[in-house]
Structure formats: C-alpha cells, structure tokens
Amino acid sequence: QVQLVASGGGSVQSGGSLRLSCAVSGFILDDYDVGWFRQVPVKEGSGLQGSGLLCISRKDGSTWYADSVKGRFTCSRDNFKNMLFLQMNNLEPEDTALYLCGADRDYWTVAQGEALEIWGQGTSVAVSS
C-alpha cells in the first residue's frame, strides 16, 4: 500500500523543539521529491485554512526552505530507511498547525502544493507561550 504516515506531533512550549517523521511505504523514496506543509485556521469560524509549504527534500539531495522557517527547521530524508524528517527548533505559538508530508515525482508539483501523488495524514503540533 502506497502511503506516508506522519508522527511526532504534540504539545510544546515556546522555544522548544519537535522532530516530525513520515514513514514511507509502497513506493521508492529515491524517485520522489517530498515537501513538508502545514495547515492552520486562517479565521475562526470561516472554515478557511491557510496552508504553507515549509521545505522540499529533493531526490537530487538538495533542500529548499521557505523564508519563514529557514534557520529553525531542517528537512531531511533517509532513503535507506524510507523515512522523512522535519526537525523544528525554537518553536513559536505561530507554528501551531497540522503538519503534513507530501510526495511527487515532479518538483514543481510539490512546490505548488496541489495534486501531489501521495499525501500523509498529518500530525498536529501545538506551541504554547
């Protein structure tokens, strides 16, 4: 079965750290670019959610980061263990969100965050001040 299973979320105080993981099964990670995204409620009661691309771990070994997380978050992969990781340091209440990983063979599909071939179910992070 092709899937990404995210784990590692939880509650942490401002300034703390968390390491999220996505376990890969059913496909060859080497062939895919993988993005970490997060979804947050934009406006209470509106049902609207903002989603943001945080980083992309590319199959060529390079990594791209959004400016909002550069220097605080590290996106990595272990192709041998079929695992993806998001190390998050110096967390702030604004980082509270549902975190998801998504994979696609095409980098620009991941960069646009739409119609990715494979999505994980997400793991929740809550940061208190």
Side-chain angles (χ1 to χ4, degrees):
Q1 183 177 1
V2 173
Q3 58 180 358
L4 290 165
V5 179
S7 62
S11 298
V12 64
Q13 289 191 326
S14 182
S17 298
L18 281 174
R19 189 190 195 204
L20 307 183
S21 301
C22 256
V24 173
S25 61
F27 65 99
I28 300 173
L29 182 57
D30 304 52
D31 296 336
Y32 286 77
D33 296 313
V34 181
W36 281 95
F37 303 80
R38 65 185 176 192
Q39 291 183 334
V40 297
V42 173
K43 187 175 180 181
E44 185 175 350
S46 70
L48 297 175
Q49 286 196 334
S51 60
L53 174 62
L54 304 174
C55 59
I56 303 175
S57 171
R58 303 188 66 170
K59 51 185 175 286
D60 66 4
S62 64
T63 309
W64 172 89
Y65 291 96
D67 288 342
S68 60
V69 301
K70 199 174 293 184
R72 294 194 301 131
F73 290 9
T74 302
C75 182
S76 62
R77 62 165 67 194
D78 186 330
N79 288 343
F80 293 103
K81 295 183 178 179
N82 286 330
M83 292 292 295
L84 303 156
F85 304 101
L86 180 66
Q87 176 66 43
M88 305 187 295
N89 298 327
N90 195 21
L91 285 162
E92 304 163 353
E94 293 73 25
D95 295 315
T96 295
L98 178 70
Y99 285 73
L100 307 99
C101 54
D104 198 276
R105 291 180 177 87
D106 179 66
Y107 172 78
W108 291 110
T109 299
V110 178
Q112 293 171 2
E114 296 181 357
L116 274 71
E117 184 176 338
I118 307 163
W119 280 107
Q121 86 288 4
T123 185
S124 293
V125 171
V127 184
S128 58
S129 56

